[in-house]
Amino acid sequence: MPQLKIILTAHVRERAVSRGIDEEEIKRIVTNPIEEVFDKENFNYKCYGQAMDHYTKQTCYLMVVHSGKFNNSVTVITSMWIYPRRLKFYGFSKV
């Protein structure tokens, strides 16, 4: 199976820097999430995993919003640190 091509938009790159998120962590979570859901209202996908927050040096939950995995590529829209209770708000059930 071909490797998934992960495209990071300028927006996600800017937000990653300002939020202390490593781009490699974003890519890892997109390819191997704890859970992934489709957001019918915004017509995008959300996934999450655990990652190291470089500011606090603690493992936290990181949610990544993307366009969906089609033709072996995915465009990442944004990423953010998130509390477990907020994951449930976005429709995740494996929290």
Side-chain angles (χ1 to χ4, degrees), residues 9 11 17 57 61:
T9 61
H11 174 82
V17 169
K57 305 296 186 220
Y61 287 110

Side-chain angles (χ1 to χ4, degrees), residues 5-32:
K5 179 180 177 185
I6 301 172
I7 302 161
L8 301 177
T9 61
H11 174 82
V12 75
R13 289 179 189 276
E14 290 169 10
R15 293 295 178 260
V17 169
S18 69
R19 295 172 177 160
I21 301 169
D22 187 313
E23 288 183 11
E24 292 305 312
E25 295 279 32
I26 294 170
K27 293 175 183 179
R28 181 183 57 77
I29 289 170
V30 168
T31 57
N32 190 25

Side-chain angles (χ1 to χ4, degrees), residues 12 15-16 19 21 26 62-65 77-81:
V12 75
R15 293 295 178 260
R19 295 172 177 160
I21 301 169
I26 294 170
L62 179 63
M63 184 174 77
V64 179
V65 180
I77 301 164
T78 196
S79 63
M80 64 197 74
W81 297 114

Side-chain angles (χ1 to χ4, degrees), residues 8-87:
L8 301 177
T9 61
H11 174 82
V12 75
R13 289 179 189 276
E14 290 169 10
R15 293 295 178 260
V17 169
S18 69
R19 295 172 177 160
I21 301 169
D22 187 313
E23 288 183 11
E24 292 305 312
E25 295 279 32
I26 294 170
K27 293 175 183 179
R28 181 183 57 77
I29 289 170
V30 168
T31 57
N32 190 25
I34 292 173
E35 186 176 5
E36 185 170 64
V37 296
F38 178 69
D39 182 340
K40 295 175 188 172
E41 187 175 317
N42 295 303
F43 204 69
N44 59 31
Y45 291 82
K46 294 174 174 56
C47 60
Y48 80 94
Q50 290 187 314
M52 176 66 70
D53 182 333
H54 293 284
Y55 289 137
T56 65
K57 305 296 186 220
Q58 295 181 2
T59 301
C60 303
Y61 287 110
L62 179 63
M63 184 174 77
V64 179
V65 180
H66 63 83
S67 62
K69 299 169 186 170
F70 303 104
N71 298 322
N72 293 319
S73 73
V74 60
T75 300
V76 178
I77 301 164
T78 196
S79 63
M80 64 197 74
W81 297 114
I82 191 162
Y83 292 108
R85 67 181 179 275
R86 294 297 294 169
L87 287 169

